[in-house]
């Protein structure tokens, strides 16, 4: 119970902090999506634990903290907020609730864009704008009439006929994205305030003591509702009422449509989810409202929301947060990767607290400092990436991030590839970080999998000096494993038995396990198709490797380089004594056959093991074309003893050439 109360308290504290940044400082530190997510968590916790609900909980209030510089303005009707749906399921739940409340009759819905701006209320007395206020806490807002007078798209006097004596229009004040960009540019050159998004710029512009500043900011307005509509009761739908506002000169966004089909609503949502990036103002979802005023009245409100409307929100993909630290990680191959850690954020409901900064270049490009604000996006909706930095000049603790000169793990001097901006620790297995990661990789799922041998155990085995290289695992005894805490008799027996099972492997998995730089699973597969034994791979030539389909010059060089280091060859040979391969000859045959398909081949010289016609027939059977003359379009020259001029022509034209011995590898 105590821990639930703690959880509730923590959530409340967080939410209040975010509200403070948002409302008081116009400087949100989390996205709406994260705020909504936390609030919904608090809601459900409080719902299950009603004894912990307090009157000051954020769930018991409608809105914000007011700022002190404007006069208070009491709303005639509370300005509520909207309930949210984040997916189709959530939306359909809303429809089901409505259906129940109206006894399953067909309901028409009015769909609109959800403008990401500042909610305001405008009071017109006999057609003249007399008061404008912000929403504030939903009951009391700020009187911003003087500033609203300067917004060109809000009429001071309504036009047309049959205007009610008193009319309250509700809607959003917002700033165009293009205006926001140029405002920030101007502010940057004048060393003035930077706004993190158009909504904040609009809020900042609206809450100016000096209305000349507001006037210069080109704010816009769209109406989406009304409070008083006295004398207009005969207009019986929300849509018709909005059209009436339009007639009187009040701007209403034209993307509205009426439907009773949830599929059409979902299509509208999908359409604007894509289109929103090409519209010059921010929208953060769509709003769906029961169109009939009579039904709206029947359905009613709860304490915070009308029950007849819902916001179907787009998932937010970019969020601003504060950078706390940068750690320098040493990868399996010694590459140093800076990783940024920030205040946790939620994107599409997923908690994120770090993002890779890739390389030294990225830090230099961003001129990154601790306590800067960073804008994070989930690329392809998966991998978090910092896309922009907002310098935090006001923070005295701001510290420039400096790329280390020495390995943070083993302390050896780091080497930098100037061209690729890659910084590397070259200590290999002498560096604990690389050792741990290499060993973990060697025994990972698609390598020589040892079930139950995670990074923690590996790290402990290294610390106890029981293993230093993959080969050491095959010599481990039960008693060695039992020296590690939390490993008893049962677990050590199990690990020893899985180590034994890992001895049965495939060539592909073994090649992958070696962790040769740039040889992932796909390349390992190709190598295992091309070579029938590890021995053949160890002795492969650079040309041979380069000619494997899908292996370029760089990867070929990395493979060749790996096997030219004697320490690596010794390790592989020792390992080969401990393991057994399940051979997959059909795969190799398939590869060999594939290699010749469509290739234009020329033969020259005398062959010892085959007659010329034998070779010709086999190659033709494998799909090759045998030609007599060398030309630019020749793919391969096969040369035997006493070769003739074709050999020199092919060499000049840089055509791939193999001799009889190499040909045998393909044919046998
Ligand atoms: S209807 C009871 N329609 O979204 C509130 N609101 O998150 C009825 N908003 O406070 C509001 N576009 O300021 C409505 N087309 C739209 C809207 C819209 C933006 C804002 C509004 C509201 C907030 C709720």
């Amino acid at each position: 119970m105590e821990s639930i109360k703690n959880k509730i308290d923590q959530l409340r504290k967080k939410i209040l902090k975010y509200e403070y940044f948002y409302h008081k400082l116009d400087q949100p530190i989390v996205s709406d999506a994260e705020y909504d997510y936390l609030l919904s968590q608090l809601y459900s916790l409080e719902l299950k634990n009603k004894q912990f609900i307090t009157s000051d909980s954020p769930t018991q209030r409608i809105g914000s903290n007011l700022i002190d510089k404007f006069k208070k303005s009491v709303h005639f009707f509370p300005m509520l907020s909207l309930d949210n749906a984040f997916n189709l399921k959530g939306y359909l739940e809303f429809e089901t609730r409505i259906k129940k409340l109206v006894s399953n009759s067909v309901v028409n819905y009015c769909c609109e864009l959800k403008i990401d701006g500042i909610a305001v209320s405008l009071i017109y007395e006999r057609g003249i704008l007399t008061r404008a206020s912000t929403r504030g806490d939903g009951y009391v807002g700020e009187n911003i009439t003087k500033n609203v007078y300067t917004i060109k798209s809000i009429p001071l006097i309504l036009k047309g006929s049959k205007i009610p004596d008193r009319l309250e229009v509700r809607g959003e004040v917002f700033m165009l994205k293009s205006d926001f960009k140029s405002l920030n540019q101007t502010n940057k050159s004048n060393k003035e305030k930077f706004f993190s998004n158009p909504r904040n710029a609009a809020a900042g512009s609206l809450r100016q003591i000096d209305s000349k500043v507001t006037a210069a900011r080109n704010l816009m307005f769209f109406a989406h509702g009304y409070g008083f509509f006295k004398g207009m009761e005969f207009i019986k739908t929300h849509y018709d009422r909005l059209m009436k506002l339009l007639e009187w000169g009040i701007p209403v966004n034209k993307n509205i449509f009426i439907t009773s089909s949830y599929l059409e609503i979902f299509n509208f949502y999908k359409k604007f989810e894509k289109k929103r990036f090409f519209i010059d103002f921010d929208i953060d979802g769509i709003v769906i409202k029961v169109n009939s005023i009579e039904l709206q009245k029947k359905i009613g409100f709860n304490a915070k929301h009308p029950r007849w409307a819902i916001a179907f929100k787009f998932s937010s993909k970019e969020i601003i947060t504060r950078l706390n630290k940068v750690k320098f990680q040493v990868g399996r191959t010694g590459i140093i990767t800076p990783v940024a850690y920030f205040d946790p954020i939620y994107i599409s409901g997923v908690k994120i607290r770090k993002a890779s900064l890739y390389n030294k270049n990225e830090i230099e490009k961003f001129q990154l400092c601790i306590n800067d604000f960073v804008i994070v996006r989930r690329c392809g909706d998966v991998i978090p990436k910092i896309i922009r930095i907002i310098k935090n000049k006001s923070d005295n603790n701001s510290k420039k991030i400096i790329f280390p000169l020495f390995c943070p793990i083993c302390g050896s001097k780091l080497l930098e590839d100037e061209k690729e901006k890659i910084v590397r620790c070259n200590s290999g297995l002498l560096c604990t970080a690389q050792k741990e990661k290499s060993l973990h990789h060697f025994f990972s799922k698609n390598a020589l999998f040892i079930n139950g041998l995670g990074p923690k155990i590996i790290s402990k085995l290294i610390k106890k000096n029981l293993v230093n290289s993959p080969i050491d695992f095959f010599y481990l005894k039960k008693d060695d494993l039992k020296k590690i805490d939390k490993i008893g008799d049962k677990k050590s027996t199990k690990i020893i038995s899985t180590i034994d099972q890992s001895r049965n492997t495939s060539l592909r998995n073994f090649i992958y396990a070696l962790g040769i730089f740039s040889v992932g699973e796909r390349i390992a597969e190709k190598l295992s198709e091309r070579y029938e034994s590890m021995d053949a791979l160890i002795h492969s030539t650079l040309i041979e490797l380069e000619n494997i389909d899908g292996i370029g010059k760089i990867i070929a060089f990395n493979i060749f380089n790996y096997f030219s280091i004697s320490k690596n060859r010794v390790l592989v040979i020792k390992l080969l004594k401990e393991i057994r391969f399940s051979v997959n000859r059909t795969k190799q045959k398939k590869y060999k056959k594939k290699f010749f398909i469509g290739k234009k081949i020329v033969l020259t010289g005398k062959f010892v093991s085959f007659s010329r016609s034998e070779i010709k027939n086999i190659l033709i059977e494998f799909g090759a074309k045998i030609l007599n003359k060398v030309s630019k379009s020749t793919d391969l020259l096969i040369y035997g003893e006493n070769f003739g001029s074709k050999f020199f022509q092919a060499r000049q034209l840089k055509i791939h050439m193999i001799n009889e011995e190499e040909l045998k590898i393909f044919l046998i």
Side-chain angles (χ1 to χ4, degrees), residues 194-228:
F194 176 91
F195 292 105
S196 53
N197 57 43
R199 182 191 218 215
N200 282 65
S205 309
L206 207 51
R207 286 156 159 174
Q208 288 291 331
I209 297 289
D210 181 0
S211 30
K212 279 196 214 106
V213 180
T214 317
R217 295 277 169 89
N218 198 27
L219 294 174
M220 315 285 277
F221 177 79
F222 279 138
H224 50 61
Y226 28 78
F228 295 106

XYZ file of all heavy atoms in Angstrom, residues 194-228:
273
model
N 14.252 32.381 -27.193
C 14.029 31.320 -28.188
C 12.768 30.559 -27.784
O 12.612 30.185 -26.621
C 15.242 30.382 -28.199
C 15.068 29.214 -29.122
C 15.482 29.280 -30.440
C 14.481 28.036 -28.660
C 15.313 28.197 -31.297
C 14.305 26.947 -29.507
C 14.727 27.040 -30.833
N 11.846 30.341 -28.727
C 10.636 29.566 -28.421
C 10.796 28.152 -28.948
O 11.276 27.956 -30.067
C 9.412 30.221 -29.047
C 9.074 31.547 -28.418
C 9.358 32.731 -29.080
C 8.491 31.609 -27.157
C 9.063 33.955 -28.502
C 8.186 32.830 -26.572
C 8.471 34.006 -27.245
N 10.381 27.164 -28.124
C 10.642 25.794 -28.554
C 9.627 25.289 -29.577
O 9.896 24.319 -30.276
C 10.715 24.843 -27.368
O 9.562 24.981 -26.597
N 8.449 25.892 -29.670
C 7.487 25.496 -30.709
C 6.468 26.623 -30.929
O 6.392 27.552 -30.120
C 6.803 24.167 -30.338
C 6.118 24.250 -28.994
O 5.459 25.255 -28.686
N 6.262 23.228 -28.173
N 5.683 26.547 -32.019
C 4.763 27.645 -32.331
C 3.756 27.910 -31.211
O 3.357 29.045 -30.978
C 4.036 27.157 -33.587
C 4.949 26.172 -34.200
C 5.688 25.521 -33.080
N 3.377 26.849 -30.509
C 2.393 27.026 -29.445
C 2.957 27.892 -28.315
O 2.277 28.777 -27.794
C 2.020 25.660 -28.911
C 0.991 25.728 -27.848
C 0.916 24.380 -27.236
N -0.450 24.085 -26.922
C -0.799 23.405 -25.876
N 0.124 22.957 -25.061
N -2.048 23.168 -25.636
N 4.202 27.659 -27.952
C 4.830 28.470 -26.912
C 5.032 29.892 -27.362
O 4.887 30.824 -26.577
C 6.189 27.893 -26.557
C 5.994 26.726 -25.683
O 5.424 25.754 -26.126
N 6.380 26.845 -24.451
N 5.346 30.030 -28.642
C 5.520 31.367 -29.187
C 4.180 32.102 -29.116
O 4.120 33.279 -28.747
C 6.012 31.279 -30.612
N 3.076 31.369 -29.432
C 1.753 32.000 -29.387
C 1.414 32.376 -27.947
O 0.935 33.493 -27.682
C 0.704 31.053 -29.955
N 1.693 31.467 -27.005
C 1.383 31.749 -25.596
C 2.179 32.947 -25.109
O 1.634 33.870 -24.486
C 1.697 30.526 -24.747
N 3.464 32.963 -25.448
C 4.335 34.066 -25.028
C 3.854 35.376 -25.622
O 3.885 36.421 -24.959
N 3.388 35.326 -26.865
C 2.965 36.550 -27.547
C 1.647 37.066 -26.977
O 1.402 38.270 -26.935
C 2.775 36.281 -29.036
O 3.912 35.653 -29.550
N 0.817 36.140 -26.553
C -0.510 36.513 -26.053
C -0.433 37.104 -24.644
O -1.240 37.945 -24.263
C -1.371 35.244 -26.018
C -2.868 35.385 -26.148
C -3.244 36.220 -27.353
C -3.489 33.998 -26.279
N 0.556 36.681 -23.907
C 0.661 37.145 -22.515
C 1.683 38.265 -22.386
O 2.503 38.252 -21.483
C 1.076 35.982 -21.633
C -0.040 35.007 -21.397
C 0.559 33.734 -21.065
N -0.369 32.861 -20.358
C -0.055 31.619 -20.067
N 1.130 31.151 -20.394
N -0.917 30.855 -19.437
N 1.643 39.197 -23.292
C 2.559 40.334 -23.240
C 1.897 41.486 -22.508
O 0.722 41.769 -22.730
C 2.891 40.784 -24.667
C 3.789 39.834 -25.421
C 5.190 39.797 -24.865
O 5.671 40.784 -24.299
N 5.839 38.663 -25.007
N 2.663 42.133 -21.644
C 2.137 43.324 -20.981
C 1.966 44.418 -22.037
O 0.968 45.134 -22.072
C 3.116 43.792 -19.863
C 3.222 42.718 -18.785
C 2.718 45.146 -19.291
C 1.998 42.550 -17.922
N 2.903 44.486 -22.939
C 2.841 45.499 -23.990
C 2.155 44.906 -25.224
O 2.725 44.059 -25.914
C 4.288 45.926 -24.321
C 4.321 47.009 -25.386
O 3.227 47.413 -25.855
O 5.427 47.439 -25.750
N 0.922 45.361 -25.506
C 0.188 44.726 -26.607
C 0.796 45.024 -27.971
O 0.448 44.365 -28.954
C -1.293 45.083 -26.581
O -1.505 46.326 -26.052
N 1.714 45.999 -28.030
C 2.384 46.242 -29.326
C 3.192 45.000 -29.728
O 3.309 44.679 -30.903
C 3.344 47.440 -29.190
C 2.636 48.769 -29.295
C 3.645 49.877 -29.554
C 3.207 51.159 -28.886
N 3.952 51.538 -27.693
N 3.733 44.326 -28.707
C 4.512 43.111 -29.013
C 3.581 42.062 -29.611
O 3.875 41.444 -30.632
C 5.227 42.560 -27.744
C 6.023 41.311 -28.072
C 6.110 43.624 -27.127
N 2.391 41.894 -28.983
C 1.417 40.930 -29.517
C 1.074 41.307 -30.960
O 1.030 40.438 -31.848
C 0.130 40.929 -28.670
O 0.486 40.961 -27.301
C -0.732 39.734 -28.968
N 0.839 42.588 -31.185
C 0.426 43.048 -32.518
C 1.466 42.673 -33.563
O 1.116 42.325 -34.699
C 0.215 44.556 -32.486
N 2.742 42.712 -33.175
C 3.810 42.449 -34.153
C 3.954 40.961 -34.466
O 4.664 40.589 -35.393
C 5.126 42.996 -33.610
N 3.253 40.118 -33.722
C 3.517 38.678 -33.833
C 2.608 37.926 -34.824
O 2.743 36.724 -34.994
C 3.395 38.010 -32.449
C 4.439 38.460 -31.449
C 5.740 37.716 -31.609
N 6.826 38.295 -30.851
C 7.127 37.995 -29.602
N 6.374 37.148 -28.927
N 8.152 38.552 -29.017
N 1.661 38.597 -35.404
C 0.798 37.983 -36.427
C 0.106 36.700 -35.941
O 0.217 35.640 -36.570
C 1.620 37.686 -37.685
C 0.721 37.463 -38.891
O -0.399 37.994 -38.918
N 1.160 36.667 -39.848
N -0.595 36.794 -34.816
C -1.297 35.612 -34.296
C -2.560 35.352 -35.107
O -3.110 36.258 -35.727
C -1.640 35.815 -32.822
C -0.428 35.897 -31.891
C -0.865 36.242 -30.470
C 0.353 34.593 -31.904
N -3.013 34.106 -35.088
C -4.211 33.721 -35.843
C -5.235 33.129 -34.877
O -4.905 32.789 -33.741
C -3.879 32.655 -36.879
C -2.638 32.883 -37.684
S -2.888 34.139 -38.894
C -3.645 33.207 -40.168
N -6.432 32.895 -35.383
C -7.485 32.346 -34.528
C -8.414 31.456 -35.345
O -8.758 31.775 -36.484
C -8.287 33.492 -33.899
C -9.444 33.037 -33.052
C -9.240 32.568 -31.753
C -10.754 33.062 -33.545
C -10.306 32.135 -30.963
C -11.823 32.640 -32.765
C -11.596 32.168 -31.463
N -8.823 30.314 -34.756
C -9.911 29.496 -35.304
C -10.893 29.219 -34.184
O -10.476 28.804 -33.087
C -9.406 28.143 -35.820
C -8.802 28.181 -37.196
C -7.641 27.473 -37.476
C -9.415 28.893 -38.223
C -7.087 27.485 -38.748
C -8.870 28.908 -39.501
C -7.696 28.210 -39.759
N -12.180 29.404 -34.452
C -13.198 29.084 -33.438
C -13.560 27.615 -33.547
O -13.590 27.049 -34.649
C -14.439 29.931 -33.680
N -13.837 26.965 -32.400
C -14.325 25.581 -32.451
C -15.519 25.354 -31.530
O -15.996 24.239 -31.398
C -13.221 24.568 -32.173
C -12.418 24.854 -30.924
N -12.968 24.886 -29.681
C -11.095 25.131 -30.767
C -12.016 25.153 -28.796
N -10.874 25.319 -29.427
N -15.974 26.426 -30.859
C -17.124 26.236 -29.973
C -17.676 27.573 -29.496
O -17.270 28.630 -29.980
N -18.551 27.473 -28.518
C -19.251 28.676 -28.068
C -19.737 28.407 -26.653
O -19.898 27.261 -26.232
C -20.458 28.984 -28.977
C -20.979 27.709 -29.569
C -21.787 26.847 -28.808
C -20.556 27.286 -30.821
C -22.181 25.617 -29.302
C -20.951 26.045 -31.315
C -21.758 25.223 -30.556
O -22.109 24.007 -31.036
N -19.956 29.481 -25.900
C -20.539 29.366 -24.566
C -21.982 29.806 -24.683
O -22.887 29.003 -24.941
N -22.203 31.138 -24.606
C -23.555 31.666 -24.864
C -23.871 31.596 -26.330
O -23.024 31.904 -27.158
C -23.619 33.157 -24.510
C -23.426 33.441 -23.084
C -22.234 33.992 -22.632
C -24.443 33.193 -22.174
C -22.054 34.280 -21.325
C -24.255 33.495 -20.863
C -23.065 34.031 -20.425
